[in-house]
Amino acid sequence: MRLNGEIYDGEDREEGEQKLVVGYALTLKKRKSFLQPNFERLARNKGISFVAIDQNRPLSDQGPFDIILHKLLGKEWCEIIEEMGKFDLELKRSHSSSNSTNDCQMDYRQTQPQVIVLDPPDAIQHLYNRQSMLQNVVDLNLSDFHGKVGVPRQMVITEDPLSIPDEVTKAGLKLPLVAKPLVVDGSTKSHELFLVYDQFSLSELEPPLVLQEFVNHGGVLFKIYIVGDAIKVVRRHSLPNVSKCELAKVAGIIPFPRVSSASASADDADLDPGVAELPPQPLLERLAKELRHRLGLRLFNIDMIREHGTRDVFYVIDINYFPGYGKIPDYEDIFTDFLLSCVQSQYKKRPGN
């Protein structure tokens, strides 16, 4: 694979010498949280440089890039990345079907290097719908592998809020319920969550939305960060348990904040060991491996809870693409090693290697 105009041979080079160029297309907020000074400094020492992609210029006029890192919404940007994927596919087909055009293809590769896109837009879109994002967990059926992993019972409401109480009754969902917007579009509104305590208040909600049974989990959420093959787990404070007594006394809809924010870290809190114990590593490795394959993604995180009073019953309640890696300890080393491994893996796949 060509790196910044040269062929990378997989051998170590002098510290600080440029090995690869990462073009990035990120929102200003994501750029500030991800490209922190310590991270960029370590990347430079490992030969990695980050270059902002100008969305107002053709991508072919920029770079060359070895990796494109992106988290942007919008039809135009998705089309640009998808076209790159089509080009790569056609190049591979042409290369395998004819040897007579090898010289032309190599010349074309000189001007249009094969770029690693993190991650494919069509795969990312799958996580922008809260119904489809969790279906892959349901399909896994991890019921006897160092614990049980499932999804809370849920249903989708697309219209007519007045019909919600009847629909919930028919579905047999038990209160309280967590109400989440169906579509995750990056806006503040798409992250607004509500806890619904009584049947009558359900008609006050605004579809389209997902209604999910609230599972008591001791007020602790496990955020499982996936970076390629690497897994990092941190604890976050979450909503406290809801008792039967509280459920009988409280009515209405209560909004609650994004409980997985950086300020809600629970790693240093004095917690009940039964609540604070991390999920078994073999279970996390199996779950991460399966979801990487099924989702077609390498950068995502899983929000998981343990059912209160159990040790090995877990629920996945959300999956997010390219989460806030800057919040986790040692993300600088984890992410730079991942970028280097992407390039080395790509090089090894080339014919003759």
Side-chain angles (χ1 to χ4, degrees), residues 130-233:
R130 283 196 166 96
Q131 181 182 25
S132 62
M133 73 162 63
L134 296 182
Q135 187 57 46
N136 286 285
V137 180
V138 175
D139 295 340
L140 285 180
N141 190 29
L142 288 181
S143 59
D144 190 25
F145 190 83
H146 298 273
K148 177 182 179 181
V149 179
V151 172
R153 295 183 63 203
Q154 64 178 34
M155 66 181 300
V156 175
I157 304 293
T158 57
E159 55 187 19
D160 189 11
L162 295 178
S163 70
I164 299 178
D166 288 338
E167 293 294 328
V168 167
T169 299
K170 290 178 184 177
L173 265 62
K174 297 179 180 179
L175 296 167
L177 297 174
V178 179
K180 309 177 181 182
L182 177 61
V183 177
V184 182
D185 59 10
S187 67
T188 301
K189 187 174 179 62
S190 71
H191 292 288
E192 290 180 347
L193 309 181
F194 300 88
L195 197 58
V196 186
Y197 280 87
D198 70 282
Q199 197 86 358
F200 298 105
S201 298
L202 289 167
S203 58
E204 300 175 18
L205 297 171
E206 297 181 17
L209 54 84
V210 171
L211 292 175
Q212 192 176 80
E213 285 189 343
F214 178 77
V215 177
N216 282 335
H217 52 281
V220 172
L221 170 77
F222 303 107
K223 292 195 75 69
I224 305 160
Y225 291 89
I226 312 297
V227 186
D229 293 330
I231 303 171
K232 188 76 174 181
V233 186

Side-chain angles (χ1 to χ4, degrees), residues 88-147:
D88 185 40
L89 180 61
E90 290 301 320
L91 195 60
K92 289 177 181 177
R93 286 174 178 170
S94 177
H95 181 76
S96 62
S97 62
S98 173
N99 290 325
S100 61
T101 57
N102 277 354
D103 290 341
C104 292
Q105 287 172 22
M106 287 306 295
D107 289 340
Y108 196 56
R109 283 178 184 269
Q110 296 298 319
T111 58
Q112 296 288 338
Q114 185 176 334
V115 179
I116 300 170
V117 178
L118 299 172
D119 273 310
D122 56 342
I124 297 171
Q125 288 293 330
H126 195 70
L127 295 188
Y128 291 155
N129 182 297
R130 283 196 166 96
Q131 181 182 25
S132 62
M133 73 162 63
L134 296 182
Q135 187 57 46
N136 286 285
V137 180
V138 175
D139 295 340
L140 285 180
N141 190 29
L142 288 181
S143 59
D144 190 25
F145 190 83
H146 298 273

